[in-house]
Each structure stands twice: as C-alpha cells, then as structure tokens.
C-alpha cells in the first residue's frame, strides 16, 4: 500500500507542472490595446492586429496613424499603450521612460511625378546624393536641368512632411541633418505627400516604401515613380543599382545592404517603461515570434534572428 501511495505521489509531482502550463496556455486573453504613431508602421500593425485577433477574439485593438512624433508623445503621456516610431529613440525620450522594441525594417525612397517632362532622363541617370542634398538642404539646385542632364529649365517643386515623423527624420539623416533642416512645401502624412507629388508634374518628395508601392500588387503606385539613387555617382543607374521596379526587388536590395541606411531603418514599438499590461506583453511577444511571418508579405523587411531574440529578452 505504501508503494502505491508513493507511486501516486510521484506521478502527481511529475504531471502537476505540465497541467499548470496547460492551464496558463489555455487561459483566454482579454483586454484592449491602443496604438498610434508612424504611418510607416501602420499597414503592418493593422495586419498584425487582424491576425492576433483571430487567435484572441476577446482582445480589442485600436490603431491610428499620425506620425512617429505623435506616437511618441501619446505613449509618454499615457494616451496609448504602444507608440509606433519609425526612427531611433532620442536619449531625452528614453529618460522619460520610452522603452523600444525593434519589430521590422523598411526604408524611405525619393519619388517624382510619373509624367515629369524628363522622366526618362531621371530614371536613367538616377539621383546623386549630393544633388539631393542641394535640393532638400542647401536649396542650390532649383531647376530640373541643374539636377539632371536635360534641356528642361522648369522649376523643381520640393515637398517635405509638415508633421513630426520618422520618414522626414530619416530622409534628413541621409544628409547628416534633422527634419527641421529640410526645405520644401510641408504636407501632412505619407499619403498626403504621395498625393501632392502625384498631382504636381514638377514635384519631388519622399515616401515610406509602403506608400510608394502597392503592397498587394508589389508595383509602384500609379502616378508616381520611385527615383533611383545613383550611389556610385557615375551619372547613370548601373545594373546593380537598378532594383526599384517592384517592392520585392527593393526589399531584397535593402535586406542585402545595397540600399543605404539611412534612409533604410528599423521600426519600433515603444511602450512607457517595460510593459506590464499582460495583453500588451503577449501582443508584442507574438509579433516577435509568429507575427514575423507577416512582415515580408506586407512589404517590410524581417529583422535578423539574433536581433529578434534580443528584443524578446526585453519582455
């Protein structure tokens, strides 16, 4: 009898931990998660939310886009659980409690109107970094034939972002500057800037790749053309610089390090201090594990596995 009791006790001790784990795993996740911030992250965050809610239908997720600056302000003021930020976290923001998780990678690209009078020359020659600097920073290049070999003397209509945002910050960082140093007519939001260039035959601007390409067709958005960057500055787009035709080609080039960084960059979910709200913790943990399989199909670039493990350990 003593042997039977001892055996039963042993079985209980072995099984108990597994039963407890099973209980935790089966516990229904409930609650609300609020996010605001970068237009760059918005489409991917929506996709993640849709897939997460399929697994946890009792979780409500509210997402709004308004620029990285708004996302950072909202999360530090406690207005949302997660700020979507498409730039590095500033030291002063970290001192206020900004706690970031890198979740994906993308890039900002220059764009022009598809019906620009010298579009063939522009696409063949590409944009030299120093010319871009003189368009957006110094203002020395004001007409199209100063920027590209052409007889057209029409003025360049330069556009930038009016809202505090990661895209403008990263585009300025390409020139070693800050967003407030960028010249041009200010337009609110990524969609707004794409529309401004689309409506202006002489316009030039910049967009996150999610707004320059249709993530379903993987082709460039109708009405605008992504402007290749002449990285070796030889006055033409060589074969190894020619990767802008489709979103897939550009993403592959970014992943391979062929596109400069900046304007390629990591994207962040930011919480105020280390997250404690269970539903938020589980959402971020899922994004950094199963959720990574949706990154590429939505038009973004996966982080290296080593980087993902570092981010998970922050939870």
């Amino acid at each position: 009898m003593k042997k039977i009791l001892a055996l039963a006790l042993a079985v209980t001790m072995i099984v108990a931990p597994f039963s407890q784990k099973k209980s935790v795993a089966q516990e229904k996740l409930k609650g609300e998660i609020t996010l605001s911030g970068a237009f760059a992250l918005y489409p991917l965050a929506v996709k993640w939310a849709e897939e997460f809610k399929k697994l946890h239908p009792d979780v409500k997720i509210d997402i709004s886009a308004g620029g990285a600056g708004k996302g950072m302000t909202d999360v530090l003021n406690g207005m949302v659980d997660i700020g979507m930020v498409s730039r590095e976290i500033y030291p002063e923001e970290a001192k206020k409690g900004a706690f970031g998780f890198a979740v994906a990678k993308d890039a900002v690209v220059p764009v022009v109107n598809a019906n620009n009078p010298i579009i063939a020359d522009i696409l063949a020659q590409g944009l030299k970094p120093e010319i871009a600097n003189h368009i957006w920073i110094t203002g020395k290049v004001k007409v199209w034939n100063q920027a590209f070999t052409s007889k057209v003397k029409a003025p360049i209509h330069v556009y930038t972002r009016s809202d505090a945002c990661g895209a403008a910050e990263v585009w300025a960082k390409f020139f070693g500057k800050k967003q407030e140093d960028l010249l041009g007519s200010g337009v609110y939001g990524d969609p707004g800037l794409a529309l401004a260039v689309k409506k202006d035959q002489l316009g030039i601007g910049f967009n996150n790749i999610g707004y320059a390409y249709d993530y379903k067709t993987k082709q460039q958005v109708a009405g605008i053309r992504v402007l290749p960057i002449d990285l070796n500055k030889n006055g033409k787009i060589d074969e190894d610089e020619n990767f802008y035709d489709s979103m897939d080609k550009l993403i592959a080039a970014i992943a391979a390090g062929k596109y400069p960084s900046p304007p390629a960059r990591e994207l962040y979910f930011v919480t105020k201090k280390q997250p404690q709200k269970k539903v938020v913790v589980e959402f971020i943990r899922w994004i950094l594990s199963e959720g990574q399989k949706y990154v590429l199909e939505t038009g973004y670039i996966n982080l290296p596995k080593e980087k993902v493990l570092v981010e998970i350990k922050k939870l």
Side-chain angles (χ1 to χ4, degrees):
M1 187 63 180
K2 286 184 177 177
K3 286 185 178 178
I4 293 174
L5 289 174
L7 180 60
L9 179 61
V11 170
T12 302
M13 292 175 66
I14 293 170
V15 171
F18 292 100
S19 300
Q20 191 174 8
K21 284 184 179 178
K22 187 177 180 182
S23 170
V24 171
Q26 289 180 338
E27 185 180 344
K28 290 185 73 174
L29 198 59
K30 296 180 180 178
E32 182 176 359
I33 306 170
T34 52
L35 305 88
S36 75
F39 284 94
L41 253 172
Y42 180 77
L44 182 54
V46 169
K47 176 65 175 176
W48 277 332
E50 290 173 350
E51 296 300 328
F52 191 72
K53 281 177 62 62
K54 290 178 184 175
L55 301 172
H56 305 284
D58 292 333
V59 174
K60 181 182 177 184
I61 303 176
D62 182 64
I63 308 172
S64 62
K70 175 173 171 51
M72 183 61 79
T73 300
D74 285 352
V75 74
L76 290 180
N77 287 338
M79 296 176 65
V80 296
D81 298 305
I82 298 172
M84 301 183 291
V85 178
S86 52
R87 56 164 172 74
E88 296 293 325
I89 297 170
Y90 302 144
E92 56 270 29
E93 294 168 340
K95 286 181 181 177
K96 294 177 182 176
F99 194 90
F101 298 88
V103 291
K105 190 174 180 181
D106 82 339
V108 172
V109 291
V111 295
V112 294
N113 185 287
N115 296 314
N116 185 292
I118 59 166
I119 189 66
D121 294 327
I122 290 173
L123 298 180
Q125 296 170 31
L127 180 64
K128 292 179 180 177
E130 63 266 35
I131 295 296
N133 182 68
H134 287 316
I135 291 174
W136 272 281
I137 302 299
T138 70
K140 290 181 180 178
V141 171
K142 298 182 183 298
V143 293
W144 285 98
N145 69 336
Q146 282 181 291
F148 304 94
T149 303
S150 166
K151 294 180 180 178
V152 175
K153 295 183 180 179
I156 299 175
H157 296 168
V158 185
Y159 292 96
T160 185
R161 289 279 292 275
S162 61
D163 50 316
C165 67
E169 193 66 39
V170 170
W171 188 240
K173 196 173 180 181
F174 183 44
F175 312 116
K177 299 291 184 179
K178 293 186 174 297
Q179 178 177 352
E180 54 265 33
D181 299 317
L182 292 173
L183 301 175
S185 301
V187 181
Y188 178 79
D190 237 324
L193 202 152
L195 182 61
V197 174
K198 188 176 180 178
K199 293 169 65 176
D200 186 346
Q201 203 174 31
L202 300 177
I204 188 170
F206 53 85
N207 279 113
N208 293 300
I209 57 176
Y211 293 86
Y213 294 84
D214 183 319
Y215 86 91
K216 292 182 178 176
T217 66
K218 309 296 183 185
Q219 302 303 305
Q220 295 184 27
V221 171
I224 63 174
R225 293 299 302 268
V226 176
L227 178 50
I229 298 179
D230 180 14
L231 293 169
N232 63 13
K233 307 172 187 176
N234 68 348
K236 62 179 181 179
I237 294 301
D238 297 313
E239 188 174 346
D240 63 349
E241 295 172 316
N242 189 10
F243 41 71
Y244 298 88
D245 284 348
S246 70
M247 178 184 276
D248 288 343
K249 281 187 177 180
L250 178 56
I251 286 174
I254 295 168
K258 292 183 178 179
Y259 191 73
S261 180
R265 44 62 196 285
E266 292 180 346
L267 305 171
Y268 295 87
F269 270 14
V270 177
T271 58
K272 189 172 184 180
K273 299 182 179 178
Q274 189 176 25
Q276 301 297 319
K277 193 174 172 180
K278 183 176 180 179
V279 68
V280 172
V281 171
E282 294 306 319
F283 183 47
I284 296 175
R285 192 191 309 281
W286 177 85
I287 283 171
L288 292 170
S289 51
E290 293 178 58
Q292 287 294 297
K293 66 185 176 187
Y294 301 107
V295 171
L296 195 58
E297 70 175 64
T298 316
Y300 296 77
I301 300 99
N302 287 99
L303 298 170
K305 291 181 180 178
E306 299 77 14
K307 178 70 176 179
V308 172
L309 290 174
V310 169
E311 300 305 304
I312 289 176
K313 288 180 179 177
K314 294 179 181 177
L315 289 167

